[in-house]
Every structure is written in structure tokens, then in C-alpha cells.
Amino acid sequence: MKDDIATAEQIAERARWMRRRAMQMVHGKGLGHIGGDLSAADILATLYFGVLNFDPARPDWPERDRFVMSKGHATGVLYTALCAAGYFEDELLESYMAPGSRLNGHPNRNYLPGVEANTGPLGHGFPIAVGIALAAKLDGSDRRTFVLTGDGEQQEGSNWEAAMVAAHNGLSNLTLIVDRNHLQQGAPTAETTALDPLDAKYAAFGWEVHEVDGHDPAALLARLGAPGTDRPRAIIAQTVKGKGVSFMENLAKWHHGVPSDEEFAIAMKELA
């Protein structure tokens, strides 16, 4: 059982390592979604080292908290978080996206401990998380469910069906986090299908809604670790695509771009 809650400073250091390691993986294999990895690093570091109750030695422990990575393309940051949390050794990260690797381009719970759901097609992870949270409520369990979606992913209609079901069933054990970096593959979300006012939409669906700086571990820790109410909770985390690398920040092309050797050297220096 996790009992060593990290400080905000320790979480920030974990996130820094995760960004650097994800950058190495994407550059080394020439594949990945580094922009979204970088935007979500502080969120995952806060969850795994400050919020979630889990035991990497017992990945199937029934009373563990669940985390579902609905934006399943962001495996660089998910795998580095699981590695840092103790689910497997760092050497396994070297096999990222290699033929036959357990570290697929999208997470697969049949291959890797700590992965709660197979995700990749956008709009699937959030409904799965609702089902997991509903099962916990029916069991009378205190276990919690957290799910991270991209903001472009919010354009999928399945998310809004899930939001209605969660509110209708009073799933106070469920927390949705939206990685609100305002960019999706190829364009800003506002140019594809505008989302705002996203907070008012979730509030109208019956959710408790909060906005937070998605790159402030102290703010994330305070919000994600706060006691719940009688409603599901939506956290809109304002983030920057490509966070931490100057030439990647706020550019849609880095949704799945791969840095050249020269760019990689610059990125690693900036992420140090």
C-alpha cells in the first residue's frame, strides 16, 4: 500500500525525470506523441506520487485506486510514471515500441502491470472509468477512480454519455482530469470543435468542477487530494503542449513529432 506521499518539490523532480525519459524513448524509437507526454507529466507525477493508493508488488490488489489513461497515445509519460512507481525496471523502457514489446504505442493491460484498461481509440477510457467507479460503489468500496482525457478527446460523444451516467449515479469516487493544452492533432481545439465553456458544460451535467494549473504540483496535489463531495469531480488542468521544451511548446506539429538529433540535444538540455 502506498504510504509515502511526496512533497510538491519531489513530485516536480519526478515529472522532470519522466519528461527526460519520455523524450529519450520517443527520439530513440522515432515514434510517439511527445507533445502530449510533456503536457501531462506533472499530472501523472502528482497522481502516482501524491494521490493514488496502490501497491506495485500487488498490481491486482482489489482495493487499489484505479487510474485510466484515456488519451492512450500518451504512452511515453504513462510508462515512465509506472516505471518510476515501481511496476517494472527502467531497462524495460528501452523496448518502447519495439516489435513484440510489452510497451505498445497504446497501453495494454494484458501486457503490463499497472495498466487498468486498454485505450487508444479516443472516447473509450472515460466510459470505462465510469464503469470501474460504479462497480466500486456497488461493492461498497472506498477505492477511487481517476481518468485523464485529452481536450481534443472531449469532442467524442461517448464522453458526454459517460458524464451523464456518472452524475446520475452520484459517482463521488470518480475524478475526471482534462489535459487542457488547447491543441490536438493538426490544429487548435478551438478551430476543430470549440469546447468552451468546458467548465459550465460539466457543471450543467451535475459535476463538481474545478480549474487548476496543470503544471503546478502543489495546486494539483491540493485539488486531486481533496476530499470529494456527493458528485463526480471534473478537474480542468490548464497545460502547455510540449511543456518544458521551447521549440515544442504550443505547436500542434509536436502532437506526434519526433525530434532530430540536434533538436533532441536542445530538448534534453532544457529539460535538465
Side-chain angles (χ1 to χ4, degrees), residues 35-69:
D37 288 334
L38 297 178
S39 70
D42 298 297
I43 298 169
L44 265 69
T46 301
L47 284 170
Y48 278 96
F49 302 104
V51 177
L52 294 175
N53 189 22
F54 64 92
D55 183 353
R58 294 184 295 158
D60 294 327
W61 175 44
E63 290 306 304
R64 71 191 182 279
D65 289 335
R66 270 66 164 179
F67 170 68
V68 176
M69 176 64 101

Side-chain angles (χ1 to χ4, degrees), residues 53-219:
N53 189 22
F54 64 92
D55 183 353
R58 294 184 295 158
D60 294 327
W61 175 44
E63 290 306 304
R64 71 191 182 279
D65 289 335
R66 270 66 164 179
F67 170 68
V68 176
M69 176 64 101
S70 193
K71 50 177 282 183
H73 53 278
T75 49
V77 71
L78 176 61
Y79 294 154
T80 56
L82 291 173
C83 176
Y87 281 99
F88 52 84
E89 297 298 322
D90 183 83
E91 288 76 12
L92 185 60
L93 295 177
E94 297 299 324
S95 70
Y96 180 62
M97 291 205 194
S101 172
R102 296 161 61 198
L103 305 187
N104 286 356
H106 294 101
N108 189 319
R109 69 184 307 274
N110 299 302
Y111 295 164
L112 204 63
V115 173
E116 297 289 353
N118 295 15
T119 56
L122 298 180
H124 286 197
F126 184 14
I128 292 172
V130 170
I132 292 171
L134 180 57
K137 182 178 180 179
L138 293 173
D139 287 345
S141 171
D142 292 331
R143 63 185 184 265
R144 301 167 297 171
T145 300
F146 296 81
V147 55
L148 179 67
T149 77
D151 49 1
E153 184 178 3
Q154 291 289 305
Q155 296 157 3
E156 299 283 354
S158 53
N159 289 313
W160 298 99
E161 295 178 41
M164 284 191 289
V165 171
H168 176 76
N169 286 280
L171 298 184
S172 57
N173 58 350
L174 175 65
T175 298
L176 163 71
I177 309 157
V178 180
D179 184 359
R180 188 72 170 107
N181 60 39
H182 299 267
L183 291 171
Q184 60 192 92
Q185 181 174 325
T189 55
E191 292 180 10
T192 307
T193 302
L195 298 173
D196 289 328
L198 190 57
D199 54 351
K201 288 183 172 75
Y202 273 97
F205 273 60
W207 286 58
E208 174 194 348
V209 185
H210 302 277
E211 187 170 309
V212 67
D213 180 348
H215 299 306
D216 182 344

Side-chain angles (χ1 to χ4, degrees), residues 7 16 40 45 50 55 85 153 175 221 241 247 251-252 264:
T7 65
R16 186 176 301 110
D55 183 353
E153 184 178 3
T175 298
L221 192 59
K241 196 128 186 167
F247 62 84
L251 290 176
F264 172 70

Side-chain angles (χ1 to χ4, degrees), residues 243-263:
K243 175 68 175 178
V245 180
S246 59
F247 62 84
M248 291 184 178
E249 289 189 351
N250 291 313
L251 290 176
K253 73 176 185 177
W254 290 106
H255 176 80
H256 52 56
V258 176
S260 66
D261 290 348
E262 181 179 358
E263 289 170 332

